Amino acid sequence: MNTQISAKLHSAIDNETDFVLTDDGTTGLYSHSVSDIYHSSYGALSEAREKFIRPLNFTQNFNNNILTNKTIRVLDICSGIGYNSKAFLDYILKLPTFSGAKIKIDALEYNKQLVLLAPFINDGLKDAAVAFLLFNELKDEIFDNFDLIEDVILNKSNHPFFSRRIITLFEKYFLNGYNKSSPTRFNAFLHNIYYHYVSKRNKTSLKPSKILNFSFAPHYGDAREFIKSTSACYDIVFLDAFTPLKLPTLWSEEFFKQLYKIMSDDSLIVTYSNSAAVRNAMLAAGFFVGKTFDKKNRPSGTVASKNSNFISQPLDVFDLGLLKTNAGITFNDPELEWDAKTILERYNLKKTRLKLQSSSSYIKSHKNKKEKSCMTL
Ligand SMILES: C[S@@+](CC[C@H](N)C(=O)[O-])C[C@H]1O[C@@H](n2cnc3c(N)ncnc32)[C@H](O)[C@@H]1O
């Protein structure tokens, strides 16, 4: 489904990207250059919660980090306007066991404008603490790059996509003669935003003990460059790249092999993709791989870990059979630097060379087998 058309409301950020209002009332995006949605039409926030946070199985897999006060290191690949990091923080802040764990998020994203807009987006979170946390971490960059977001936020047709409180403040402080050339005044303005953002109701959730040990660091550019050069180690990786067949750059076998090197023994990759090619690439990298389900028990994606105990729903016989068909053919990108076109060309050549069973005939024969076995019962 094309969100751009089905969305009740949309407005252009630039020639390449539209804001759209998703079904849960939160702001999503549509990319014209990739012809792909950033966020599911059923809801940007709901999608982050169902496809990225729920599959973490956090209380089981990461409870020890909380109890021992270890830093939880998160890599948010393709962070965009920040839903996965925000939904994660929202979840953590509400955890009854949470009393001040350390959280460090590295956010990888091409588009700086999207990252700087993240704290202002109408994200549907009742608690403003999360936007506040992001805002606080990004405020110097927001000041230095205000031109990147100023027009977008002040454009009236974009207002439904932002937090109402923020728009009012921008209008009040910025339009009424606020002088952005003065850092002191700008800082005062930002402080006012914090103050209004953190309404009395929300102050209680901003206990200093909960937010002292938090960092959110954006890294602009190709995510492949970052994962090749970083010496960091991660516990949680959110992988939210565009659809593999549209943009395979962040789904190759070599990409997952590199991720393997920068993840701790007790860590988890979470992605919305349930592509057989992606699952095969994860397996080739040495991960245990499992599938995930939303609260209505519909498939919602894939998880990968070095620790088999982190995989609560391993791939079943059907899924493993599918990996052996042409749907399971992996993308390759030997030095992690090919462009999408080259990766797809090589992928198509590999497909022709391997001549594997088509996934549709596999699915059909599997269905027939299942029906037969039911009849014999
Ligand atoms: C599906 S959207 C992710 C949405 C995001 N998680 C959010 O909450 O808004 C994909 C994002 O990946 C970014 N992107 C695509 N290829 C990239 C790459 N090679 N390195 C870094 N970012 C990339 C795009 O700019 C886009 O923002």
Side-chain angles (χ1 to χ4, degrees), residues 104-135:
K104 177 181 183 306
I105 301 180
D106 282 319
L108 311 188
E109 173 55 57
Y110 265 147
N111 190 335
K112 190 187 249 189
Q113 187 186 35
L114 296 185
V115 175
L116 299 185
L117 284 170
F120 310 110
I121 289 290
N122 168 20
D123 57 25
L125 294 172
K126 285 202 186 73
D127 195 333
V130 170
F132 172 83
L133 283 173
L134 241 56
F135 205 5

Side-chain angles (χ1 to χ4, degrees), residues 5 43 92 107 161 179 196-197 199 228 235 276 279 285 306 370:
I5 292 164
I92 290 280
F161 305 106
N179 176 4
H196 284 266
Y197 232 8
S199 67
K228 275 198 281 184
D235 307 303
R279 289 175 172 175
K306 292 181 181 180
K370 225 171 143 187

Side-chain angles (χ1 to χ4, degrees), residues 291-324:
K291 47 190 183 175
T292 63
F293 295 90
D294 66 12
K295 60 180 174 215
K296 292 187 178 155
N297 214 26
R298 293 170 304 200
S300 64
T302 303
V303 282
S305 178
K306 292 181 181 180
N307 181 346
S308 60
N309 295 329
F310 276 50
I311 305 296
S312 54
Q313 306 251 24
L315 302 180
D316 60 23
V317 174
F318 170 78
D319 303 315
L320 292 169
L322 192 62
L323 302 191
K324 294 188 183 127

Side-chain angles (χ1 to χ4, degrees), residues 325-375:
T325 71
N326 66 356
I329 294 173
T330 55
F331 300 101
N332 289 103
D333 178 12
E335 303 300 325
L336 292 177
E337 59 186 22
W338 281 352
D339 60 17
K341 190 166 164 273
T342 311
I343 298 174
L344 283 173
E345 277 167 9
R346 305 292 169 116
Y347 166 81
N348 285 326
L349 286 174
K350 193 171 165 187
K351 221 170 167 178
T352 315
R353 184 164 45 82
L354 289 174
K355 291 196 188 76
L356 297 181
Q357 180 186 11
S358 78
S359 53
S360 51
S361 91
Y362 168 78
I363 293 167
K364 213 165 146 190
S365 67
H366 189 86
K367 222 169 148 189
N368 289 343
K369 260 191 226 156
K370 225 171 143 187
E371 275 163 14
K372 267 191 202 149
S373 66
C374 285
M375 276 156 40

Side-chain angles (χ1 to χ4, degrees), residues 184-240:
T184 322
R185 289 203 64 191
F186 191 86
N187 267 333
F189 165 64
L190 290 180
H191 278 113
N192 271 313
I193 289 188
Y194 297 160
Y195 180 78
H196 284 266
Y197 232 8
V198 187
S199 67
K200 268 190 184 149
R201 184 167 56 88
N202 285 314
K203 267 183 188 160
T204 49
S205 64
L206 279 175
K207 286 186 196 132
S209 63
K210 287 192 171 185
I211 58 168
L212 269 180
N213 294 305
F214 173 66
S215 83
F216 180 85
H219 303 271
Y220 305 113
D222 191 330
R224 292 176 298 180
E225 286 306 314
F226 181 88
I227 67 154
K228 275 198 281 184
S229 60
T230 184
S231 54
C233 184
Y234 296 95
D235 307 303
I236 291 173
V237 174
F238 297 126
L239 176 54
D240 198 5

